[in-house]
């Protein structure tokens, strides 16, 4: 037998049980360590411990509370198996602890003494395999987390790339105007005429300044959560798409009232950029994009609601189950298929919820709604995450 996971810790303070169990397990190829008391158990390297083997006598009152804090202090993935050798109903002193252990901890095997060797070995084997499985699951979750992290960064880069292109485009227009105006100034014969051209040139410069300021402000938005006016975030996200909206003949209708939400401004901006980008993609032949931010209440709590509604193609029923999956896109090489996956991730990380309604037949359209808590989660009136109650979003696309 090859053993990859750690040893069993044995606490059998009275008699020869401790030694006997150690030699039996050792002979079967298991790693063992005998300890004088439960409080000597050290699970700092939890993955190096396969399980605990305790006898009744280890479970004094102090022993039980030490065990409780050890077990509750385990990492999330860990469910350390405990094998408890009891004197069963013969010794009433320990009976309450045995039943509390069984009720309070999830992986407990009770074995009545005297224990047959085969019974003990089979319990140890089950405990060992269960521990091995826990470690495998932990490793798989780690791998998944790392690959999710890579995807998040990929989408961030893709968004950054798109934003850079939009920005260049936004700046290019006033630059071109500036160029023309300076040419006109140079060739003006009258001072008044030159002054009026240079006044227009200053306005174009101010526009460039505004775009640069906005981008820098967005870029510096802190990623840790704080109270933010989400209508401002939505407005600044929208500004980045102005040229695209005009080029596509999309009418924009923004109803953005001051709406406070406890969230990470930088992450929210990315979520909104994703949703606005999708809405624009869905309206290649024009339409209306509506952005709303308002505070809503239900169950006596207040939430910030931001809706992004388009009159685009709508989302066909058959693709809805895949919408939030990684890499799902209907845009071929133009899409990354990460936008909605990431948006949902961001919203959930900010303790919010993302909903959508869509109609794929005329009058078609889609509305995405983000709900965020209005206050920090620590304040009692903002508690009770949005998971508990799902707010209803009315279909708004005309
Ligand atoms: P991508 O935009 O790169 O395709 P997303 O995850 O952002 O990836 O979106 C996944 C798919 O969801 C899109 O390819 C599109 O088919 C659909 N979709 C998302 N938003 C809308 C919308 N507002 N209207 C219609 N379809 C949408
Ligand atoms: Mg997208």
């Amino acid at each position: 037998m090859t053993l990859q996971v750690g040893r069993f810790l044995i606490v059998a303070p009275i008699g020869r049980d401790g030694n006997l169990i150690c030699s039996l397990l050792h002979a079967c190829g298991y790693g063992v360590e005998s300890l004088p008391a439960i409080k000597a158990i050290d699970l700092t390297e939890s993955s190096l411990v396969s399980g605990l083997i305790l006898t009744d006598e280890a479970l004094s009152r102090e022993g039980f509370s030490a065990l409780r804090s050890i077990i509750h202090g385990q990492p999330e993935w860990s469910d350390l198996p405990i094998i408890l050798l009891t004197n069963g109903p013969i010794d009433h002193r320990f009976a309450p602890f045995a039943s509390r252990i069984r009720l309070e901890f999830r992986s407990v095997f009770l074995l009545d003494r005297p224990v047959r060797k085969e019974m003990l070995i089979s319990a140890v084997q089950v405990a060992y395999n269960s521990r091995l499985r826990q470690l495998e699951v932990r490793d798989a979750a780690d791998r998944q987390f790392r690959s999710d992290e890579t995807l998040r960064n990929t989408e961030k880069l893709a968004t950054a790339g798109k934003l850079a292109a939009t920005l260049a485009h936004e700046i290019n227009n006033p630059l071109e105007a500036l160029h023309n105006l300076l040419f006109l100034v140079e060739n003006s014969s009258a001072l008044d005429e030159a002054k009026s051209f240079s006044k227009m040139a200053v306005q174009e410069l101010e526009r460039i300044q505004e775009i640069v300021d906005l981008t820098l402000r967005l870029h510096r938005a802190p990623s840790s959560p704080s109270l933010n006016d989400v209508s401002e975030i939505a407005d600044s996200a929208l500004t980045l798409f102005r040229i695209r909206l005009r080029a596509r003949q999309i009418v924009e209708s923004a109803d953005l009232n001051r709406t406070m939400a406890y969230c990470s401004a930088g992450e929210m901006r990315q979520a909104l950029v994703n949703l606005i980008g999708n809405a624009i993609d869905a309206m290649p032949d024009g339409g209306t994009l509506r952005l709303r931010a308002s505070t809503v209440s239900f169950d006596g709590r207040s939430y910030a609601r931001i809706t992004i509604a388009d009159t685009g193609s709508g989302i066909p029923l058959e693709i809805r189950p895949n919408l939030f999956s990684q890499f799902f896109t209907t845009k071929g090489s133009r899409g990354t298929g990460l936008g909605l996956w990431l948006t949902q991730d961001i919203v959930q990380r900010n303790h919010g919820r993302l909903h959508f309604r869509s109609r794929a037949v005329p009058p078609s359209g889609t509305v995405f709604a983000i709900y965020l808590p209005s206050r920090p989660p620590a304040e009692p009136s903002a508690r009770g995450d949005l998971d508990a109650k799902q707010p209803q979003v009315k279909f708004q696309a005309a």
Side-chain angles (χ1 to χ4, degrees):
M1 186 173 196
T2 46
L3 295 177
Q4 300 95 344
V5 286
R7 63 210 187 284
F8 282 88
L9 303 183
I10 298 162
V11 188
I14 293 179
R16 295 181 52 234
D17 278 356
N19 284 343
L20 289 175
I21 298 168
C22 276
S23 0
L24 178 64
L25 263 60
H26 192 68
C28 295
Y30 292 99
V32 282
E33 185 182 343
S34 178
L35 298 170
I38 288 180
K39 63 176 191 291
I41 294 173
D42 179 8
L43 288 188
T44 329
E45 289 280 359
S46 184
S47 59
L48 299 179
V49 178
S50 300
L52 305 180
I53 302 179
L54 314 174
T55 56
D56 263 348
E57 300 82 25
L59 286 176
S60 58
R61 196 173 298 279
E62 303 83 69
F64 184 77
S65 58
L67 182 66
R68 180 189 266 155
S69 53
I70 289 166
I71 296 295
H72 290 320
Q74 292 179 95
E76 217 174 310
W77 59 266
S78 172
D79 194 5
L80 192 69
I82 303 171
I83 300 173
L84 179 64
L85 310 184
T86 75
N87 286 317
I90 304 165
D91 194 337
H92 293 291
R93 282 176 302 156
F94 303 111
F97 292 119
S99 59
R100 275 172 74 186
I101 281 208
R102 198 167 39 80
L103 291 175
E104 201 164 316
F105 308 133
R106 280 182 303 186
S107 295
V108 178
F109 302 83
L110 289 186
L111 296 178
D112 276 353
R113 287 195 283 188
V115 187
R116 274 182 32 224
K117 270 191 207 167
E118 292 73 16
M119 292 283 281
L120 181 60
I121 291 298
S122 76
V124 164
Q125 211 165 16
V126 172
Y128 179 83
N129 287 336
S130 136
R131 192 64 174 163
L132 201 58
R133 183 83 193 115
Q134 288 170 25
L135 289 169
E136 281 165 7
V137 170
R138 178 199 65 173
D139 290 351
D142 270 1
R143 279 196 299 275
Q144 181 67 39
F145 180 78
R146 275 198 294 275
S147 84
D148 282 0
E149 243 346 80
T150 314
L151 290 182
R152 274 188 205 110
N153 290 335
T154 309
E155 178 63 4
K156 269 188 203 152
L157 282 178
T159 311
K162 278 185 211 154
L163 285 184
T166 313
L167 190 72
H169 205 241
E170 285 275 352
I171 288 182
N172 205 31
N173 274 15
L175 269 183
E176 224 165 79
L178 199 59
H179 198 252
N180 293 340
L181 286 164
L182 287 177
F183 176 81
L184 291 172
V185 170
E186 203 182 330
N187 292 286
S188 289
S189 46
L191 187 62
D192 277 356
E193 196 187 42
K195 271 187 176 170
S196 108
F197 287 139
S198 68
K199 197 171 159 198
M200 285 159 75
V202 168
Q203 281 168 356
E204 294 300 328
L205 266 178
E206 281 169 356
R207 221 174 98 60
I208 295 178
Q209 180 93 56
E210 197 185 315
I211 295 167
V212 170
D213 275 357
L214 178 81
T215 316
L216 287 179
R217 218 172 340 124
L218 290 177
H219 185 69
R220 289 190 199 124
S223 67
S224 53
S226 57
L227 266 183
N228 290 291
D229 181 357
V230 279
S231 67
E232 246 181 35
I233 303 176
D235 190 40
S236 59
L238 190 59
T239 308
L240 296 167
F241 290 97
R242 288 263 147 73
I243 300 244
R244 255 170 90 190
L245 289 170
R246 237 175 290 145
R248 291 264 182 109
Q249 299 190 326
I250 295 173
V251 179
E252 156 200 334
S253 141
D255 185 1
L256 299 169
N257 302 310
R258 184 177 153 83
T259 306
M260 300 311 286
Y262 185 74
C263 60
S264 143
E267 289 187 343
M268 259 323 120
R269 174 182 60 101
Q270 187 171 15
L272 290 167
V273 164
N274 289 344
L275 294 179
I276 297 172
N278 279 351
I280 296 175
D281 288 345
M283 298 187 282
D285 305 317
T288 304
L289 173 74
R290 289 198 182 87
L291 229 71
R292 293 210 166 94
S294 56
T295 305
V296 292
S297 302
F298 47 90
D299 282 356
R301 297 187 186 111
S302 69
Y303 299 97
R305 177 176 64 188
I306 312 140
T307 57
I308 301 99
D310 65 65
T311 56
S313 53
I315 303 172
L317 279 177
E318 59 275 18
I319 71 164
R320 291 186 196 179
N322 301 321
L323 220 53
F324 297 94
S325 311
Q326 298 159 6
F327 303 119
F328 177 79
T329 179
T330 53
K331 300 173 192 167
S333 57
R334 280 190 312 112
T336 60
L338 292 172
L340 286 181
W341 170 76
L342 186 74
T343 302
Q344 190 173 52
D345 185 63
I346 288 175
V347 172
Q348 283 170 356
R349 262 191 285 148
N350 283 275
H351 305 284
R353 285 197 69 107
L354 178 67
H355 294 259
F356 77 95
R357 292 278 169 100
S358 190
R359 239 179 97 97
V361 289
S364 61
T366 303
V367 50
F368 274 88
I370 297 176
Y371 287 81
L372 294 169
S374 295
R375 297 184 187 84
E379 288 184 34
S381 41
R383 284 210 36 195
D385 302 359
L386 292 166
D387 304 338
K389 276 264 170 204
Q390 297 212 355
Q392 285 301 305
V393 184
K394 296 259 168 5
F395 182 69
Q396 297 174 356

